[in-house]
Amino acid sequence: MSETHALPEIFESFSEARRQGFIAMKKLKEAKLPDEGKGVVGTFCSYVPVELFLAAGLIPVGLCSTSDETIGEAEKVLPRNLCPLIKASYGFAVTEKCPYMYFSDLVVGETTCDGKIKMYELLGRIKDVHVMELPHSQDKGSSRALWMGEIKRLKDRVEKKFGAAITDDNLRRAIQERNRERALLKKVYELSVMNPPPLTGLQQLQILFGAQFKFNHEQKVRELEETINSITAEYQNGKRPVSANAKTKAAPLPRIIVTGCPIGGATEKFTRVIEESGAVVVAYENCTGAKQFDRQVDESVDPYEALCDYYLNIGCSVMSPNPNRLELLGRLCDQFKADGVLEMVLQSCHTYAIESHSIGEFLKARNIPFMSLETDYSVGDTEQLKTRVAAFIEML
Ligand code: BJ8
């Protein structure tokens, strides 16, 4: 993209990024230039310190686990009442329908939840899998020591597998690179602090989700900067793309924060339902949003210490207790002046489902309406979601 691109084209570029990325990755893998990264490492979770892969000259990629396309195939092996994210991850591997999985020389998993742990066992029959032992609490010295050991074990595995040395200097550079991307993605979602917001929640999600499939760092940075500048310029010129409900013409729209399991791909339906029901999603606390981009890895200390602290402190429901999720959610509610919070829990995700209760209590104490909804990757429950979300928004 150059300076002259219009907003629809920019949004399109991000929503197409996943598909376009297949071709880009194939080219990178086949590149003969000595400084091109050729090894690919596939990941599933925000806890995996991707800076290690970047420092080794490898390409990290989030694996396809956001569509129901291969769930039928996965259910030949896995139980039906399992989280769709886990079934889809496995399904794409066995069917070889995800080019990113296909191109991955190494898949790095983590012991976040029981379903994933057991699925990785089966995945190990098809792919080279390395599983990181994730502690489930953040406040104990033993947890930190375990996680530090796991980061070092991953470094050793990567160096051995790819014959690449991960130097401290390269690691520091990778941390800076990733921090720059995080800061820009945070700037993107913070645009919606403006009231009314300058982009819909769906457009925001498409940028946040799509950016991970752009593999050239400098180009990605340029495109994100251009995106932020273009959105800001249009707003300053008086454009208000989400100033009123398209159907009822009612304004201003209730401002919703989405929390819960990772969102994107098939679960874009959650955002669509909210926005078609007369509200606007201003922020995502989920892994596709603030959970990943809110904080920075400390560049002033030893890189391994910095990575250990940054990743261990991600506020996911697999941690017990999980104060960091509450802290972030509370801060987002204040910053974005949220009228309500909607949680998306994937079918059979016990940790998020159980934590809903504490999230509800936390928001009730702040007088912020909250509702949690369970869904999967099918479209079968869309009408039911619409009914419940419409009733919630009506009451705001
Ligand atoms: S850091 S949110 S990406 S674990 S697979 S726990 S939905 S039952 S994905 Fe996640 Fe990492 Fe946390 Fe983010 Fe539940 Fe499904 Fe398990 Fe899941």
Side-chain angles (χ1 to χ4, degrees):
M1 289 194 302
S2 74
E3 295 295 309
T4 52
H5 281 77
L7 269 184
E9 211 175 321
I10 292 175
F11 291 136
E12 179 78 9
S13 147
F14 281 98
S15 75
E16 278 290 292
R18 192 174 151 270
R19 217 162 49 83
Q20 296 296 336
F22 296 155
I23 304 155
M25 173 157 293
K26 188 163 179 286
K27 282 192 188 146
L28 280 171
K29 278 215 73 147
E30 290 168 357
K32 295 287 180 285
L33 297 172
D35 59 345
E36 295 270 29
K38 289 187 246 350
V40 175
V41 183
T43 63
F44 293 105
C45 174
S46 309
Y47 281 106
V48 176
V50 290
E51 286 85 350
L52 286 177
F53 314 136
L54 294 170
L58 306 167
I59 315 165
V61 66
L63 293 171
C64 311
S65 47
T66 55
S67 123
D68 69 348
E69 198 185 327
T70 61
I71 283 185
E73 205 53 41
E75 284 176 350
K76 289 181 183 168
V77 175
L78 299 172
R80 289 194 67 191
N81 63 344
L82 185 65
C83 162
L85 195 151
I86 303 174
K87 287 191 286 189
S89 306
Y90 181 73
F92 275 107
V94 275
T95 57
E96 294 194 339
K97 278 191 175 167
C98 169
Y100 293 127
M101 176 68 90
Y102 177 81
F103 285 131
S104 292
D105 303 292
L106 180 68
V107 173
V108 177
E110 18 46 52
T111 57
T112 40
C113 66
D114 291 350
K116 271 196 196 163
I117 295 171
K118 296 306 287 181
M119 184 273 285
Y120 292 142
E121 250 177 70
L122 299 170
L123 191 62
R125 297 180 187 177
I126 312 166
K127 300 291 295 185
D128 189 1
V129 176
H130 175 94
V131 179
M132 297 183 80
E133 195 76 40
L134 180 75
H136 288 235
S137 66
Q138 295 152 322
D139 54 353
K140 299 185 189 81
S142 55
S143 297
R144 195 178 183 283
L146 169 61
W147 191 233
M148 180 62 100
E150 285 301 287
I151 291 177
K152 297 268 174 78
R153 191 168 67 90
L154 179 62
K155 169 191 184 273
D156 292 345
R157 178 75 195 272
V158 168
E159 287 185 327
K160 203 163 161 209
K161 162 115 189 154
F162 295 95
I166 299 176
T167 63
D168 280 6
D169 279 352
N170 283 350
L171 193 52
R172 283 183 202 284
R173 256 195 298 279
I175 288 172
Q176 285 166 3
E177 194 174 287
R178 210 61 187 189
N179 273 346
R180 198 164 165 216
E181 291 180 15
R182 284 190 190 100
L184 284 168
L185 288 160
K186 182 171 180 171
K187 263 191 171 180
V188 167
Y189 72 70
E190 284 189 334
L191 289 168
S192 291
V193 165
M194 292 192 269
N195 196 359
L199 71 171
T200 66
L202 193 61
Q203 288 166 334
Q204 186 192 129
L205 181 63
Q206 282 165 345
I207 298 172
L208 300 179
F209 185 74
Q212 64 177 312
F213 300 107
K214 292 183 181 264
F215 302 111
N216 180 316
H217 169 70
E218 289 305 328
Q219 195 179 331
K220 186 187 327 195
V221 162
R222 270 200 311 279
E223 289 186 16
L224 285 170
E225 283 170 347
E226 186 197 343
T227 302
I228 294 162
N229 292 341
S230 302
I231 294 172
T232 308
E234 291 217 345
Y235 199 81
Q236 280 166 353
N237 287 336
K239 288 227 170 117
R240 295 292 181 270
V242 280
S243 57
N245 183 327
K247 283 184 208 148
T248 64
K249 306 285 176 225
L253 297 182
R255 299 165 63 83
I256 302 294
I257 288 180
V258 169
T259 184
C261 295
I263 191 163
T267 48
E268 264 186 25
K269 69 178 175 184
F270 198 74
T271 299
R272 282 184 202 280
V273 163
I274 295 170
E275 301 204 319
E276 284 167 11
S277 303
V280 61
V281 175
V282 286
Y284 296 89
E285 184 275 331
N286 321 51
C287 267
T288 331
K291 209 192 287 298
Q292 270 209 77
F293 311 125
D294 173 60
R295 294 175 303 126
Q296 295 267 292
V297 178
D298 190 347
E299 295 178 16
S300 67
V301 299
D302 171 79
Y304 290 95
E305 299 287 336
L307 289 176
C308 183
D309 285 332
Y310 174 84
Y311 283 100
L312 188 60
N313 281 303
I314 290 174
C316 171
S317 66
V318 298
M319 290 293 167
S320 180
N322 184 21
N324 295 344
R325 182 177 176 204
L326 296 181
E327 189 278 325
L328 174 58
L329 187 58
R331 200 151 38 81
L332 292 176
C333 285
D334 293 342
Q335 187 186 11
F336 288 82
K337 302 210 171 3
D339 295 305
V341 173
L342 283 167
E343 180 182 56
M344 186 199 76
V345 176
L346 290 174
Q347 174 207 346
S348 305
C349 177
H350 300 319
T351 55
Y352 273 101
I354 294 170
E355 203 166 274
S356 275
H357 183 73
S358 313
I359 297 290
E361 282 178 341
F362 174 78
L363 292 168
K364 194 171 179 198
R366 294 171 162 248
N367 281 323
I368 299 175
F370 168 71
M371 184 168 66
S372 180
L373 295 149
E374 190 185 79
T375 188
D376 60 15
Y377 287 177
S378 71
V379 288
D381 64 352
T382 310
E383 287 308 313
Q384 198 191 338
L385 284 176
K386 274 185 189 162
T387 310
R388 296 198 57 198
V389 168
F392 177 83
I393 289 168
E394 185 88 351
M395 147 217 120
L396 294 177

